[in-house]
Every structure is written in structure tokens, then in C-alpha cells.
Amino acid sequence: MHDVRTVRAPSMLRLAVASLAGTAIEFYDFFVYGTAAALVLGPLFFPTFSPLAGTLAAFATFGVGFVARPLGSVLFGHIGDRHGRRPVLVASLLLTGASTVAVGCVPTYDTIGVAAPVLLLVLRFLQGLGLGGEWGGAVLLTAEHAPAHRRGLWTSFPQVGPSLGFLLANGVVLTLSATLSEAQFAQWGWRVPFWAAGVLAAVGLWLRSSLVESPSFLGIDDHARVPLAEVVRDHWRLVLLTAGALAVGYAIFYAVTTWSLAYGTERLGVSRGVMLTCIMAAVVVKGSLTPVAALLGDRYGRRPLCLAGCAAAAVWMFPMVALLATGAPLLMFLGFLGAMLAFITMFGVIAAYLPELYEPRVRCTGAAVGYNLGGVVGGALTPIVATALVEQGGRVPWGVGAYLTGVALLSLGCFALLPETRPVPMVVAEPATG
């Protein structure tokens, strides 16, 4: 057996902060593309399309990143289960950072024609591939070091990362929008956030250079030869249930942060700055309350919070779209805030819940595949479906509310079929579930 190392509290804090920084940087890369897709990529890379078709095409390239994420979780999950969680963190950060910088260098359609959207598609795929490995590596390294009774709290650190990444990405875009003219932003300003990813990736690699390997991985005598094969054979039901359960979180988040940005600016005539400010304010509250939800999960269990979050989402989606349709900043913020509170009630505990559902020898693959398949169901389709549904309705996009409510009910049913997990030590192998 490998020599199992333990981590004292100060080291645990350093590990959690490094995981948070890494996920923030990688999700910055992912989110900055979503913001660009909502604002400028349609006219620049699909100029022969109508405005609606151009937005849909830009969102389609956005969705490719989600399709790539499960493939990334298979690739990096294999590395994580065979060779350790730590190598995953370095490789995934390098891949995502490099592909994001490259997006900022792609010439537009006017310069190289159809090759422009093709390159955009390839780089977005590589972005998704890297992010598919990031979440599993960062969360598992933190979860498997953390003491059982505080696993939810410590794993909430990497869960705060997406909020910070989103705020950083949109803060950069908001600053550029306020300081540049529309022509300057469309000509070169939109590229700056992508170029900044290179600096952030270098910082992330430095922070992760001193991390030690997970004690659960070091404690495994017999590593899975082909982790995906074991997951499909022994845990297929669990993977499908977790994917369905997590779909609503992705649907909510990208309805608020990506689709509503395009809807508000294009259909309601609200300024880019106002929309970004309303969305960012709601995300600030979400990020701030993530540790609170995690502590509640440590005390009362993971599943009750997930069920409560899903139920709240199902109730709130119609009010959210009604408040959005007013175009009034305060009312839009309240709509987004309710959605984000429902979201974080679930996702604040997911980083502890998913690793607890899988045995150590296939945990990196199983948890990451389930998590990222949920992104395909909820995240990839939502901006596309919502944009199409808006065209079929009136001023208030009730069809979008119905779609999001349906996804929430699907996830509620999946969470109801999942078992509760109680905080248990993760150094030794646990029985398979599923």
C-alpha cells in the first residue's frame, strides 16, 4: 500500500485556497466565452446570419464546450484514478488556459471566412475538455484531504471558484464596455479578457505547484485498469441519476448569466452594463452563501438541501422570467437572486455529495462524468432552447419559465432516487453505490 499522508489544518487551508484559485481561473476562461457569445461573437463570426440566427450559432459554439466536458472528465478521470488527482489539476489548467488565449487570437469571418467559426468551435471544444477535468481534480483533492465532519465546508472553497471566475470575467467585460466605444469593443476590446487568461493560468500553476497527493488515492492498492469501464458496468445508474439531478443547476445558472444577458440587451433594449451589474450582484450573493449551504450540508445531510433547492427552483422560474421581462434593474436583480439562492442550496453541497457516492478507485471518473453530463443536459441546451422559445412567445417569455420548471422537476425526481450520504472517512475504499 502507498504511504498515506495526513494534512494538518493550516495545510488544509492552503489546499482549499489553491483549489479555489484554480477553479476560479478555469471558470473565468469558460465564462468569458459565454459573455462574448451573448454580446459580440454572432456578428463577428456569423455575419451572414440574421441577428437571431447569429446569436443561436454563437450559443451553439458555446454549447460545444459542454459536450466536450464529459469527454474531458473521461480523459482526466482516467488520469486521476490511475495516476493521481494532482496531475489532473496541472494538465487541465494548461489546456484550458492555452485554448482560451487562442480564442482571443482567432481572426473574424471578414478576415479568414468560414475558417473563423471552425477555429472558434475547435478551441471551445478544447476549453470544455480541460474544464471537464478541472472540477473533478480540484474537488476530489480537497474532499479526500478534508476531515469527514467538515468535508462540506472545505469542498465549498472550489465551489466558490465558479462565482469568482464569473465575476472576474464579467467585471473585465464591464470595465471594457465602460471605457471603450462600441466599435472599439467589437474590433479588439472583446479579445482582451481572453488574452488575460494566460496570466491567470500562470498564477494558477504556481499556486498548485506545492500541492500533495490525495490520501485516498495513496491508500488504494489496486487501481482501476480502465476506470470508465468500471463506472459504466457498476455505477451506470448512479451516473445517470447524478447527471439528471445536476441539470437544473446548470440550467438556472446559464439561463441567468448567458441567455438573460442576450435577451435583456437584444429584446428589451437594456444596456449591457445594467444587465451585467444585475447578474453580477446576484452571483456575489450566491458565492457569499456557498459556505453557509455547505455547513448546513455537514449538519443536516446533503440530500435534504438538494431536494429543497430543486423545489425552490421549480416554484421560482415563472416569477423569475416575469421579473426579467420588466426590464427594471431592481426587479431583474430580485428575479436573478431568487434563482441563484435556489441554485446554491443544491450546489453548495454537491462537491461533498458526489465524491461520497463513489468508491475511491473510480471516484475521479464517476463523479466528474456525472457532474459534466449534467452540464450537457442543463447548460449546453438552455441558452439555445430559451432563445428559440422567446421567438414563439410574447413579451414575457413564459415558454422559458416552463422549460426551466420542467428541468427542475426532472432534477427533483433524480435527487429523490439518490441515497443520503453521511460524512465518512475517505482514506479507505467504500462499497460501490449504484
Side-chain angles (χ1 to χ4, degrees):
M1 176 180 292
H2 295 283
D3 179 33
V4 179
R5 307 175 211 176
T6 58
V7 178
R8 294 189 295 273
S11 296
M12 190 68 236
L13 179 60
R14 285 196 296 271
L15 171 63
V17 170
S19 295
L20 182 154
T23 54
I25 291 166
E26 292 228 31
F27 276 90
Y28 165 89
D29 296 348
F30 204 71
F31 290 145
V32 78
Y33 189 101
T35 303
L39 297 176
V40 297
L41 293 188
L44 292 176
F45 288 87
F46 304 95
T48 59
F49 291 16
S50 68
L52 171 63
T55 300
L56 285 170
F59 280 152
T61 63
F62 171 77
V64 166
F66 286 97
V67 175
R69 282 173 65 168
L71 299 177
S73 65
V74 171
L75 171 63
F76 289 105
H78 183 90
I79 296 171
D81 286 325
R82 290 284 297 165
H83 305 289
R85 321 311 192 198
R86 188 174 176 272
V88 170
L89 298 183
V90 175
S92 62
L93 188 57
L94 277 172
L95 177 59
T96 308
S99 56
T100 303
V101 172
V103 169
C105 300
V106 176
T108 62
Y109 185 94
D110 288 342
T111 304
I112 60 172
V114 73
V118 171
L119 284 172
L120 203 63
L121 199 69
V122 170
L123 292 171
R124 180 59 174 175
F125 181 86
L126 293 176
Q127 256 195 340
L129 206 65
L131 193 63
E134 163 63 27
W135 185 88
V139 164
L140 260 65
L141 199 64
T142 307
E144 292 178 341
H145 275 301
H149 69 291
R150 284 290 179 262
R151 187 174 300 131
L153 176 62
W154 287 116
T155 55
S156 72
F157 277 68
Q159 286 298 82
V160 173
S163 297
L164 292 179
F166 176 83
L167 293 172
L168 182 59
N170 287 276
V172 171
V173 172
L174 191 60
T175 301
L176 290 168
S177 297
T179 55
L180 300 176
S181 67
E182 288 288 335
Q184 288 173 321
F185 185 81
Q187 185 177 12
W188 58 267
W190 68 272
R191 298 181 184 273
V192 174
F194 291 94
W195 295 335
V199 178
L200 294 175
V203 172
L205 290 171
W206 174 74
L207 287 170
R208 290 180 166 184
S209 62
S210 61
L211 297 183
V212 297
E213 187 51 78
S214 153
S216 283
F217 177 80
L218 294 172
I220 299 172
D221 283 323
D222 182 24
H223 296 283
R225 187 175 181 83
V226 184
L228 180 63
E230 287 197 24
V231 168
V232 172
R233 184 185 68 232
D234 300 330
H235 302 274
W236 63 270
R237 180 176 178 272
L238 181 57
V239 169
L240 292 179
L241 284 176
T242 52
L246 299 180
V248 64
Y250 285 100
I252 290 173
F253 191 85
Y254 288 101
V256 170
T257 62
T258 301
W259 166 74
S260 68
L261 180 59
Y263 175 78
T265 55
E266 294 174 7
R267 294 294 295 253
L268 302 180
V270 181
S271 73
R272 180 188 305 152
V274 169
M275 288 302 303
L276 285 173
T277 300
C278 292
I279 295 167
M280 289 169 66
V283 173
V284 167
V285 178
K286 176 190 85 77
S288 302
L289 293 180
T290 301
V292 177
L295 282 171
L296 291 172
D298 278 336
R299 180 163 186 178
Y300 299 109
R302 326 301 188 199
R303 187 168 170 268
L305 268 75
C306 292
L307 292 171
C310 276
V315 170
W316 188 249
M317 292 301 96
F318 280 107
M320 185 194 78
V321 297
L323 291 169
L324 170 62
T326 66
L330 179 59
L331 295 180
M332 290 192 297
F333 164 72
L334 290 175
F336 298 153
L337 178 62
M340 288 291 101
L341 291 177
F343 169 88
I344 205 54
T345 303
M346 296 174 277
F347 271 56
V349 300
I350 285 300
Y353 193 22
L354 259 64
E356 290 169 349
L357 288 169
Y358 291 88
E359 59 178 315
R361 59 186 277 119
V362 296
R363 183 175 286 149
C364 196
T365 300
V369 168
Y371 184 84
N372 287 296
L373 279 177
V376 176
V377 178
L381 296 177
T382 293
I384 298 171
V385 172
T387 300
L389 286 173
V390 166
E391 288 302 303
Q392 309 304 317
R395 179 176 173 83
V396 180
W398 297 120
V400 178
Y403 169 75
L404 294 173
T405 301
V407 177
L409 293 174
L410 167 68
S411 294
L412 183 65
C414 290
F415 273 124
L417 295 173
L418 286 171
E420 174 59 277
T421 60
R422 293 297 176 184
V424 293
M426 300 182 83
V427 174
V428 296
E430 295 138 8
T433 306

